[in-house]
Amino acid sequence: MLADGYTLMHEHIHIDLSKVKNNVDCRLDCREETVAELKKLYAKGVRNITEVTNIGMGRDVRYVASVACETGINILCATGFYKEPFLPEYIYEKSERDIAGIMIKEITEGIDDTEIKASIIGEIGSSENAISDIEKKVFNAAIIAHKETGTPITTHTTLGKLGAEQIALFKKQNVDLGRICIGHLDLSGDMDYILKILESGAYVEFDTIGKNNYMPDDVRISMLLEIEKRNLIDRMFFSMDITRKSNMEHKGGIGYCYLFDTFIKNLLGAGFKTSSIEKILKENPKKFYGQTEDKH
């Protein structure tokens, strides 16, 4: 499933949240510029991207497939549903079983009448202050789809909050936490909280790297040094969660290459090990997707 090379575990190639957010910047559809940036990523050793845009987020798997073909990067697509208020209306009416059935079909048969099958369930999301009843329904449906297909789950936490509550939902249904990734936890800035989730056996994503307006990279670096010191680096992923036109290089944003051009250099300069970088970007994704034996 994954090609040999680096893997970014939480990105968007095409996403459109512009109607709900009433902001055209939230429609990422600049194909030519995306291809140019991803070709640069390829030159830096990136061979895989997990594209976590799902149903209701402006997903376009044909667009994504064309970008993958032109850049040589293996782009893995997602199934699932996001969070309120981005959920399709039918989610409020359908049962958990029916919602799970939609995901299972996309995993086993294909997405949007294509032969492109979903490789991951996500990003399954929760709101900032509470997981709503409808969001819990989606989590439960995702768990059904996971148990029936073995497909891993990746989540969205709003500003890094409620990761522990997400873990509780998975534990309640005896989900193997080694198949779960809790997203955006770098935005919490809370080391003790992150350590507890790592120690639960779940994966943790630092996936808003470079978004210093939300959380300074210096904080991310200090937390990563502590995680490395505690030998918990084998449950970590990196990404930048590019979602807006203004995130792109041609608009003056950080771009898809920021992780390699800036963050990793600063991280290594702070004393982080090269071997840890390799583990996070190469070994951990393969383990998560079930391509190597988990010896944790």
Side-chain angles (χ1 to χ4, degrees), residues 66-78:
S66 72
V67 170
C69 183
E70 192 163 344
T71 62
I73 293 180
N74 176 37
I75 305 178
L76 294 85
C77 292

Side-chain angles (χ1 to χ4, degrees), residues 7 12 47-48 86 109 128 132 136 204 227 238 250 289:
T7 300
H12 301 273
R47 294 294 179 271
N48 310 284
F86 302 96
E109 298 180 25
E128 182 175 354
S132 73
K136 286 178 183 175
V204 162
I227 290 166
F238 283 164
H250 75 286
Y289 276 114

Side-chain angles (χ1 to χ4, degrees), residues 176-182 194 197-206 227 231-238 279-280 284-285 287-288 294-296:
D176 175 4
L177 294 179
R179 305 289 284 154
I180 303 298
C181 174
I182 307 298
I194 291 170
I197 291 177
L198 282 168
E199 288 162 357
S200 77
Y203 285 78
V204 162
E205 254 173 9
F206 275 30
I227 290 166
N231 296 316
L232 290 168
I233 213 74
D234 61 342
R235 295 279 168 176
M236 294 297 301
F237 295 136
F238 283 164
K279 183 172 283 189
I280 291 167
N284 292 355
K287 187 172 64 178
F288 184 69
D294 185 352
K295 298 178 181 178
H296 180 75

Side-chain angles (χ1 to χ4, degrees), residues 18-295:
S18 61
K19 289 181 181 178
V20 174
K21 292 195 172 187
N22 194 29
N23 183 351
V24 72
D25 189 39
C26 298
R27 185 170 68 238
L28 184 63
D29 59 354
C30 36
R31 187 185 182 283
E32 183 178 334
E33 293 83 0
T34 298
V35 166
E37 288 200 34
L38 264 57
K39 285 181 176 179
K40 291 181 185 178
L41 272 182
Y42 187 94
K44 296 176 189 297
V46 174
R47 294 294 179 271
N48 310 284
I49 293 174
T50 300
E51 213 283 7
V52 294
T53 311
N54 59 32
I55 303 165
M57 297 177 77
R59 184 183 61 179
D60 187 336
V61 295
R62 291 180 177 87
Y63 176 107
V64 170
S66 72
V67 170
C69 183
E70 192 163 344
T71 62
I73 293 180
N74 176 37
I75 305 178
L76 294 85
C77 292
T79 186
F81 301 89
Y82 188 32
K83 65 171 187 174
E84 293 191 286
F86 302 96
L87 300 173
E89 285 298 319
Y90 61 77
I91 293 297
Y92 294 82
E93 306 300 329
K94 287 185 178 292
S95 68
E96 291 174 2
R97 177 72 248 181
D98 287 342
I99 296 167
I102 294 169
M103 301 183 207
I104 292 167
K105 183 177 185 293
E106 294 196 336
I107 293 164
T108 59
E109 298 180 25
I111 298 169
D112 296 338
D113 299 319
T114 73
E115 295 182 356
I116 300 166
K117 296 177 181 178
S119 300
I120 196 164
I121 299 167
E123 55 181 300
I124 306 301
S126 55
S127 298
E128 182 175 354
N129 298 313
I131 306 177
S132 73
D133 288 342
I134 296 301
E135 289 165 352
K136 286 178 183 175
K137 183 199 280 192
V138 173
F139 268 88
N140 289 335
I143 290 168
I144 293 170
H146 160 73
K147 287 184 173 180
E148 293 194 13
T149 66
T151 306
I153 299 174
T154 188
T155 77
H156 165 96
T157 60
T158 300
L159 300 178
K161 298 179 179 179
L162 304 185
E165 287 80 358
Q166 292 184 1
I167 291 290
L169 290 177
F170 294 123
K171 279 186 172 181
K172 185 177 179 181
Q173 298 199 42
N174 299 311
V175 175
D176 175 4
L177 294 179
R179 305 289 284 154
I180 303 298
C181 174
I182 307 298
H184 309 324
L185 290 189
D186 49 326
L187 294 178
S188 72
D190 186 335
M191 192 71 255
D192 290 338
Y193 163 64
I194 291 170
L195 288 172
K196 284 178 183 176
I197 291 177
L198 282 168
E199 288 162 357
S200 77
Y203 285 78
V204 162
E205 254 173 9
F206 275 30
D207 52 22
T208 62
I209 289 169
K211 293 186 175 181
N212 287 288
N213 54 321
Y214 288 102
M215 180 64 62
D217 275 346
D218 287 348
V219 175
R220 293 184 177 92
I221 288 172
S222 66
M223 291 192 296
L224 284 165
L225 290 170
E226 182 65 22
I227 290 166
E228 183 183 56
K229 187 173 80 173
R230 291 171 180 256
N231 296 316
L232 290 168
I233 213 74
D234 61 342
R235 295 279 168 176
M236 294 297 301
F237 295 136
F238 283 164
S239 238
M240 289 153 295
D241 193 26
I242 302 297
T243 59
R244 295 171 177 243
K245 290 184 176 76
S246 59
N247 293 150
M248 300 284 289
E249 282 183 5
H250 75 286
K251 291 286 190 178
I254 57 173
Y256 289 99
C257 293
Y258 175 88
L259 177 68
F260 298 92
D261 290 344
T262 302
F263 185 77
I264 287 176
K265 291 177 182 178
N266 292 339
L267 187 57
L268 292 171
F272 203 71
K273 297 173 185 173
T274 301
S275 60
S276 294
I277 299 288
E278 294 292 305
K279 183 172 283 189
I280 291 167
L281 288 172
K282 285 186 177 179
E283 296 173 32
N284 292 355
K286 284 190 174 184
K287 187 172 64 178
F288 184 69
Y289 276 114
Q291 289 184 230
T292 59
E293 183 182 352
D294 185 352
K295 298 178 181 178

